[in-house]
Amino acid sequence: MSLLRTTRGGKSVDFAISNGGALLGAAPGCQIVVADPAAAPKHTKIVKSPQGFVLTDLSGGGTVVNGVKVKEHVLKHGDVVQIGSEKFTFTEKAAAPAAASKPAGAPAPSAGSAPAPKSVAAAAPAVVGGRRPLPPRPPHAHRSLSAEVVTHAPARKLTVKPGSVARVHKDHHMFALPSTTKGKSIAIGVGVGLVLLGGALYAISAQTVNSDQVKLKAEEAVKQLELIPESEHEKRLAMIDDILANPDFVKYAKEKIHPAARIREETKKRVDLEALAATNAKRFLDEYNTLKEGPAENFKKEWDRLYDTVKVLFEKFERTRFGAELGKVRAELKANMENVGPNWSDEIVKLSRDVSRMIAAGQFNTAMLEVEAFGTKFGEKNKDAPVELKRRLGGERDRIMADAKKHIEDLKKEAASKSALAEKRQVLEAARPFIKGLPEAEKLLDKAISEFK
């Protein structure tokens, strides 16, 4: 016989473990109920295997065996299993060997040996009033909600006479079936009925629930829930669902688990919001950090778009674990745009229109000054200035110079049509104020004037 021995109320208590194994934990349905807040509802199971009885932890935190937390352990005689503060000693009792029958013709026992046992007939009590009294009943076994230990008395001599159910027989050590078909049927029916009745009574006793104990456990579970930080939404939701899924809590301690039911919907929304943020906010933050670490010009081009996006994400996911980082990015982008102003790529379009207008008015030097001011504003001379900025401004300067030279050639043709030399020179000199500061245009103008001497 294998059993777990513990001490409760100052008394030793044994829990027998059958080949079907046993389930230990705080749940009322366990074969061995452990009344300790540290015990999980289903803490440990013990099952029979070819290697012996195997203990398996179900709590997730490990079951202590001989002072060490284990996930799985093959029990040996003397092992100490601890669940919460309660300790159980695993014990394997060897079955008492059956007395060997004396072979026929065996020699009598030698002197000093134990005397031969008395026969059953000799040991039987005297007949009183024509009937032999029954032997005393065995002491009642210790019984609990979880397990049962039975001390067996010597087997009674039973048989079944034809046409009857089981009766006490004097000459046999076994329960014999009647010899008739009808008698056998009756005996088997009675046996099955007794087995079913015993099973029903055991099931009823095993399912008995202490409502006060259930309420205490429900109250403790809610206290444990309140200790979980509000930021750990997934962990809180998992514990809430465990509490609300406990049928004993729902039946016997509904008022105790009401706080968990009340926050369940809001907690579920927070978990869903965190999951959405983990996709959208994280993707944006990854893109932002990639652009920030890349070329500065590429990063600046995206400032407006990034700022519009982060404003929306911050409003939606401010209460998630990404809220602080989204707020930081929003502040960085806002500061960047306020300090630098508009991007050069947006402003250069306006510059090009202004240059065209000045060229049409013959104000070439004014147009060139506008280009130079634009280059200074956006750091054209800096070593890390964008190549595209330099290329575009260089194109504007070339366009101004080309149009200035064309304007001088047109004036030269106009001067040639004049009859007086002074008039010719006057036409050309009129262009000088508008090309001042453009060396190539000034040289071309001087050359044209010198041709009319």
PDB file of all heavy atoms in Angstrom, residues 170-195:
ATOM      1  N   LYS A 170     -19.585 -21.801   7.036  1.00  0.00           N
ATOM      2  CA  LYS A 170     -18.663 -22.175   8.087  1.00  0.00           C
ATOM      3  C   LYS A 170     -17.376 -22.787   7.593  1.00  0.00           C
ATOM      4  O   LYS A 170     -16.406 -22.857   8.341  1.00  0.00           O
ATOM      5  CB  LYS A 170     -19.341 -23.165   9.030  1.00  0.00           C
ATOM      6  CG  LYS A 170     -20.624 -22.636   9.659  1.00  0.00           C
ATOM      7  CD  LYS A 170     -21.275 -23.685  10.515  1.00  0.00           C
ATOM      8  CE  LYS A 170     -22.596 -23.183  11.102  1.00  0.00           C
ATOM      9  NZ  LYS A 170     -23.270 -24.232  11.928  1.00  0.00           N
ATOM     10  N   ASP A 171     -17.333 -23.255   6.375  1.00  0.00           N
ATOM     11  CA  ASP A 171     -16.196 -24.085   5.981  1.00  0.00           C
ATOM     12  C   ASP A 171     -15.364 -23.516   4.860  1.00  0.00           C
ATOM     13  O   ASP A 171     -14.502 -24.209   4.321  1.00  0.00           O
ATOM     14  CB  ASP A 171     -16.710 -25.470   5.549  1.00  0.00           C
ATOM     15  CG  ASP A 171     -17.471 -26.146   6.669  1.00  0.00           C
ATOM     16  OD1 ASP A 171     -17.023 -25.974   7.820  1.00  0.00           O
ATOM     17  OD2 ASP A 171     -18.493 -26.793   6.396  1.00  0.00           O
ATOM     18  N   HIS A 172     -15.604 -22.286   4.411  1.00  0.00           N
ATOM     19  CA  HIS A 172     -14.867 -21.750   3.285  1.00  0.00           C
ATOM     20  C   HIS A 172     -14.301 -20.381   3.630  1.00  0.00           C
ATOM     21  O   HIS A 172     -14.857 -19.669   4.438  1.00  0.00           O
ATOM     22  CB  HIS A 172     -15.757 -21.619   2.041  1.00  0.00           C
ATOM     23  CG  HIS A 172     -16.304 -22.966   1.589  1.00  0.00           C
ATOM     24  ND1 HIS A 172     -15.575 -23.877   0.905  1.00  0.00           N
ATOM     25  CD2 HIS A 172     -17.529 -23.513   1.807  1.00  0.00           C
ATOM     26  CE1 HIS A 172     -16.319 -24.963   0.664  1.00  0.00           C
ATOM     27  NE2 HIS A 172     -17.516 -24.764   1.219  1.00  0.00           N
ATOM     28  N   HIS A 173     -13.189 -20.019   2.982  1.00  0.00           N
ATOM     29  CA  HIS A 173     -12.551 -18.720   3.198  1.00  0.00           C
ATOM     30  C   HIS A 173     -12.786 -17.781   2.024  1.00  0.00           C
ATOM     31  O   HIS A 173     -11.989 -16.926   1.751  1.00  0.00           O
ATOM     32  CB  HIS A 173     -11.035 -18.913   3.376  1.00  0.00           C
ATOM     33  CG  HIS A 173     -10.677 -19.649   4.619  1.00  0.00           C
ATOM     34  ND1 HIS A 173     -10.531 -19.024   5.834  1.00  0.00           N
ATOM     35  CD2 HIS A 173     -10.474 -20.972   4.841  1.00  0.00           C
ATOM     36  CE1 HIS A 173     -10.216 -19.905   6.759  1.00  0.00           C
ATOM     37  NE2 HIS A 173     -10.186 -21.101   6.187  1.00  0.00           N
ATOM     38  N   MET A 174     -13.864 -17.951   1.286  1.00  0.00           N
ATOM     39  CA  MET A 174     -14.117 -17.123   0.115  1.00  0.00           C
ATOM     40  C   MET A 174     -15.601 -16.915  -0.052  1.00  0.00           C
ATOM     41  O   MET A 174     -16.404 -17.620   0.543  1.00  0.00           O
ATOM     42  CB  MET A 174     -13.518 -17.761  -1.144  1.00  0.00           C
ATOM     43  CG  MET A 174     -14.127 -19.127  -1.486  1.00  0.00           C
ATOM     44  SD  MET A 174     -13.415 -19.845  -2.950  1.00  0.00           S
ATOM     45  CE  MET A 174     -14.059 -18.752  -4.153  1.00  0.00           C
ATOM     46  N   PHE A 175     -15.917 -15.931  -0.863  1.00  0.00           N
ATOM     47  CA  PHE A 175     -17.314 -15.640  -1.189  1.00  0.00           C
ATOM     48  C   PHE A 175     -17.644 -16.431  -2.442  1.00  0.00           C
ATOM     49  O   PHE A 175     -17.114 -16.166  -3.515  1.00  0.00           O
ATOM     50  CB  PHE A 175     -17.493 -14.139  -1.431  1.00  0.00           C
ATOM     51  CG  PHE A 175     -18.917 -13.742  -1.691  1.00  0.00           C
ATOM     52  CD1 PHE A 175     -19.768 -13.508  -0.617  1.00  0.00           C
ATOM     53  CD2 PHE A 175     -19.404 -13.612  -2.967  1.00  0.00           C
ATOM     54  CE1 PHE A 175     -21.076 -13.128  -0.828  1.00  0.00           C
ATOM     55  CE2 PHE A 175     -20.707 -13.240  -3.180  1.00  0.00           C
ATOM     56  CZ  PHE A 175     -21.552 -13.000  -2.121  1.00  0.00           C
ATOM     57  N   ALA A 176     -18.505 -17.390  -2.314  1.00  0.00           N
ATOM     58  CA  ALA A 176     -18.829 -18.289  -3.434  1.00  0.00           C
ATOM     59  C   ALA A 176     -20.192 -17.935  -4.000  1.00  0.00           C
ATOM     60  O   ALA A 176     -21.097 -17.544  -3.255  1.00  0.00           O
ATOM     61  CB  ALA A 176     -18.808 -19.741  -2.972  1.00  0.00           C
ATOM     62  N   LEU A 177     -20.338 -18.053  -5.308  1.00  0.00           N
ATOM     63  CA  LEU A 177     -21.617 -17.805  -5.950  1.00  0.00           C
ATOM     64  C   LEU A 177     -22.516 -19.020  -5.807  1.00  0.00           C
ATOM     65  O   LEU A 177     -22.039 -20.156  -5.660  1.00  0.00           O
ATOM     66  CB  LEU A 177     -21.415 -17.499  -7.439  1.00  0.00           C
ATOM     67  CG  LEU A 177     -20.787 -16.141  -7.760  1.00  0.00           C
ATOM     68  CD1 LEU A 177     -20.525 -16.049  -9.258  1.00  0.00           C
ATOM     69  CD2 LEU A 177     -21.659 -15.005  -7.301  1.00  0.00           C
ATOM     70  N   PRO A 178     -23.832 -18.810  -5.794  1.00  0.00           N
ATOM     71  CA  PRO A 178     -24.754 -19.954  -5.730  1.00  0.00           C
ATOM     72  C   PRO A 178     -24.539 -20.862  -6.935  1.00  0.00           C
ATOM     73  O   PRO A 178     -24.005 -20.468  -7.963  1.00  0.00           O
ATOM     74  CB  PRO A 178     -26.138 -19.292  -5.756  1.00  0.00           C
ATOM     75  CG  PRO A 178     -25.903 -17.873  -5.376  1.00  0.00           C
ATOM     76  CD  PRO A 178     -24.534 -17.542  -5.856  1.00  0.00           C
ATOM     77  N   SER A 179     -24.989 -22.050  -6.773  1.00  0.00           N
ATOM     78  CA  SER A 179     -24.819 -23.028  -7.862  1.00  0.00           C
ATOM     79  C   SER A 179     -25.884 -22.897  -8.924  1.00  0.00           C
ATOM     80  O   SER A 179     -25.695 -23.330 -10.062  1.00  0.00           O
ATOM     81  CB  SER A 179     -24.836 -24.457  -7.271  1.00  0.00           C
ATOM     82  OG  SER A 179     -26.067 -24.679  -6.594  1.00  0.00           O
ATOM     83  N   THR A 180     -27.034 -22.280  -8.594  1.00  0.00           N
ATOM     84  CA  THR A 180     -28.101 -22.146  -9.595  1.00  0.00           C
ATOM     85  C   THR A 180     -27.960 -20.839 -10.361  1.00  0.00           C
ATOM     86  O   THR A 180     -27.375 -19.864  -9.873  1.00  0.00           O
ATOM     87  CB  THR A 180     -29.489 -22.182  -8.919  1.00  0.00           C
ATOM     88  OG1 THR A 180     -29.600 -21.039  -8.094  1.00  0.00           O
ATOM     89  CG2 THR A 180     -29.661 -23.441  -8.083  1.00  0.00           C
ATOM     90  N   THR A 181     -28.530 -20.808 -11.548  1.00  0.00           N
ATOM     91  CA  THR A 181     -28.474 -19.597 -12.383  1.00  0.00           C
ATOM     92  C   THR A 181     -29.191 -18.435 -11.724  1.00  0.00           C
ATOM     93  O   THR A 181     -28.706 -17.296 -11.704  1.00  0.00           O
ATOM     94  CB  THR A 181     -29.101 -19.865 -13.760  1.00  0.00           C
ATOM     95  OG1 THR A 181     -28.419 -20.949 -14.355  1.00  0.00           O
ATOM     96  CG2 THR A 181     -29.018 -18.639 -14.660  1.00  0.00           C
ATOM     97  N   LYS A 182     -30.335 -18.723 -11.122  1.00  0.00           N
ATOM     98  CA  LYS A 182     -31.099 -17.665 -10.458  1.00  0.00           C
ATOM     99  C   LYS A 182     -30.332 -17.114  -9.274  1.00  0.00           C
ATOM    100  O   LYS A 182     -30.260 -15.895  -9.068  1.00  0.00           O
ATOM    101  CB  LYS A 182     -32.442 -18.223 -10.004  1.00  0.00           C
ATOM    102  CG  LYS A 182     -33.339 -17.174  -9.339  1.00  0.00           C
ATOM    103  CD  LYS A 182     -34.675 -17.780  -8.969  1.00  0.00           C
ATOM    104  CE  LYS A 182     -35.571 -16.726  -8.305  1.00  0.00           C
ATOM    105  NZ  LYS A 182     -36.889 -17.296  -7.916  1.00  0.00           N
ATOM    106  N   GLY A 183     -29.739 -18.002  -8.500  1.00  0.00           N
ATOM    107  CA  GLY A 183     -28.972 -17.556  -7.337  1.00  0.00           C
ATOM    108  C   GLY A 183     -27.781 -16.701  -7.745  1.00  0.00           C
ATOM    109  O   GLY A 183     -27.451 -15.689  -7.115  1.00  0.00           O
ATOM    110  N   LYS A 184     -27.093 -17.115  -8.810  1.00  0.00           N
ATOM    111  CA  LYS A 184     -25.956 -16.322  -9.299  1.00  0.00           C
ATOM    112  C   LYS A 184     -26.395 -14.932  -9.721  1.00  0.00           C
ATOM    113  O   LYS A 184     -25.738 -13.925  -9.433  1.00  0.00           O
ATOM    114  CB  LYS A 184     -25.288 -17.026 -10.468  1.00  0.00           C
ATOM    115  CG  LYS A 184     -24.536 -18.300 -10.090  1.00  0.00           C
ATOM    116  CD  LYS A 184     -23.913 -18.936 -11.297  1.00  0.00           C
ATOM    117  CE  LYS A 184     -23.147 -20.207 -10.928  1.00  0.00           C
ATOM    118  NZ  LYS A 184     -22.546 -20.860 -12.103  1.00  0.00           N
ATOM    119  N   SER A 185     -27.528 -14.841 -10.417  1.00  0.00           N
ATOM    120  CA  SER A 185     -28.022 -13.540 -10.887  1.00  0.00           C
ATOM    121  C   SER A 185     -28.330 -12.619  -9.724  1.00  0.00           C
ATOM    122  O   SER A 185     -28.006 -11.430  -9.726  1.00  0.00           O
ATOM    123  CB  SER A 185     -29.277 -13.716 -11.749  1.00  0.00           C
ATOM    124  OG  SER A 185     -28.990 -14.517 -12.884  1.00  0.00           O
ATOM    125  N   ILE A 186     -28.982 -13.207  -8.699  1.00  0.00           N
ATOM    126  CA  ILE A 186     -29.331 -12.388  -7.541  1.00  0.00           C
ATOM    127  C   ILE A 186     -28.069 -11.904  -6.844  1.00  0.00           C
ATOM    128  O   ILE A 186     -27.939 -10.725  -6.467  1.00  0.00           O
ATOM    129  CB  ILE A 186     -30.216 -13.189  -6.567  1.00  0.00           C
ATOM    130  CG1 ILE A 186     -31.557 -13.503  -7.233  1.00  0.00           C
ATOM    131  CG2 ILE A 186     -30.421 -12.421  -5.264  1.00  0.00           C
ATOM    132  CD1 ILE A 186     -32.440 -14.421  -6.423  1.00  0.00           C
ATOM    133  N   ALA A 187     -27.114 -12.794  -6.657  1.00  0.00           N
ATOM    134  CA  ALA A 187     -25.879 -12.423  -5.952  1.00  0.00           C
ATOM    135  C   ALA A 187     -25.113 -11.344  -6.708  1.00  0.00           C
ATOM    136  O   ALA A 187     -24.612 -10.378  -6.127  1.00  0.00           O
ATOM    137  CB  ALA A 187     -25.005 -13.655  -5.757  1.00  0.00           C
ATOM    138  N   ILE A 188     -25.003 -11.505  -8.022  1.00  0.00           N
ATOM    139  CA  ILE A 188     -24.280 -10.510  -8.829  1.00  0.00           C
ATOM    140  C   ILE A 188     -24.993  -9.167  -8.788  1.00  0.00           C
ATOM    141  O   ILE A 188     -24.378  -8.102  -8.656  1.00  0.00           O
ATOM    142  CB  ILE A 188     -24.132 -10.995 -10.278  1.00  0.00           C
ATOM    143  CG1 ILE A 188     -23.179 -12.205 -10.321  1.00  0.00           C
ATOM    144  CG2 ILE A 188     -23.599  -9.888 -11.191  1.00  0.00           C
ATOM    145  CD1 ILE A 188     -23.095 -12.870 -11.676  1.00  0.00           C
ATOM    146  N   GLY A 189     -26.336  -9.194  -8.853  1.00  0.00           N
ATOM    147  CA  GLY A 189     -27.095  -7.942  -8.799  1.00  0.00           C
ATOM    148  C   GLY A 189     -26.897  -7.209  -7.498  1.00  0.00           C
ATOM    149  O   GLY A 189     -26.717  -5.995  -7.471  1.00  0.00           O
ATOM    150  N   VAL A 190     -26.905  -7.965  -6.401  1.00  0.00           N
ATOM    151  CA  VAL A 190     -26.693  -7.332  -5.101  1.00  0.00           C
ATOM    152  C   VAL A 190     -25.289  -6.743  -5.019  1.00  0.00           C
ATOM    153  O   VAL A 190     -25.072  -5.641  -4.522  1.00  0.00           O
ATOM    154  CB  VAL A 190     -26.920  -8.357  -3.962  1.00  0.00           C
ATOM    155  CG1 VAL A 190     -26.486  -7.764  -2.626  1.00  0.00           C
ATOM    156  CG2 VAL A 190     -28.390  -8.752  -3.905  1.00  0.00           C
ATOM    157  N   GLY A 191     -24.297  -7.479  -5.515  1.00  0.00           N
ATOM    158  CA  GLY A 191     -22.913  -6.981  -5.485  1.00  0.00           C
ATOM    159  C   GLY A 191     -22.745  -5.700  -6.277  1.00  0.00           C
ATOM    160  O   GLY A 191     -22.122  -4.727  -5.814  1.00  0.00           O
ATOM    161  N   VAL A 192     -23.328  -5.685  -7.476  1.00  0.00           N
ATOM    162  CA  VAL A 192     -23.234  -4.478  -8.305  1.00  0.00           C
ATOM    163  C   VAL A 192     -23.933  -3.311  -7.629  1.00  0.00           C
ATOM    164  O   VAL A 192     -23.446  -2.173  -7.618  1.00  0.00           O
ATOM    165  CB  VAL A 192     -23.813  -4.730  -9.711  1.00  0.00           C
ATOM    166  CG1 VAL A 192     -23.909  -3.429 -10.500  1.00  0.00           C
ATOM    167  CG2 VAL A 192     -22.968  -5.746 -10.457  1.00  0.00           C
ATOM    168  N   GLY A 193     -25.080  -3.572  -7.037  1.00  0.00           N
ATOM    169  CA  GLY A 193     -25.810  -2.511  -6.351  1.00  0.00           C
ATOM    170  C   GLY A 193     -25.028  -1.913  -5.211  1.00  0.00           C
ATOM    171  O   GLY A 193     -25.007  -0.693  -5.011  1.00  0.00           O
ATOM    172  N   LEU A 194     -24.348  -2.807  -4.433  1.00  0.00           N
ATOM    173  CA  LEU A 194     -23.536  -2.305  -3.327  1.00  0.00           C
ATOM    174  C   LEU A 194     -22.385  -1.440  -3.820  1.00  0.00           C
ATOM    175  O   LEU A 194     -22.047  -0.416  -3.221  1.00  0.00           O
ATOM    176  CB  LEU A 194     -23.009  -3.485  -2.500  1.00  0.00           C
ATOM    177  CG  LEU A 194     -24.060  -4.253  -1.685  1.00  0.00           C
ATOM    178  CD1 LEU A 194     -23.438  -5.496  -1.053  1.00  0.00           C
ATOM    179  CD2 LEU A 194     -24.668  -3.358  -0.618  1.00  0.00           C
ATOM    180  N   VAL A 195     -21.748  -1.870  -4.922  1.00  0.00           N
ATOM    181  CA  VAL A 195     -20.658  -1.085  -5.491  1.00  0.00           C
ATOM    182  C   VAL A 195     -21.144   0.281  -5.948  1.00  0.00           C
ATOM    183  O   VAL A 195     -20.526   1.325  -5.670  1.00  0.00           O
ATOM    184  CB  VAL A 195     -20.003  -1.833  -6.664  1.00  0.00           C
ATOM    185  CG1 VAL A 195     -19.010  -0.919  -7.396  1.00  0.00           C
ATOM    186  CG2 VAL A 195     -19.281  -3.080  -6.170  1.00  0.00           C
TER     187      VAL A 195
END
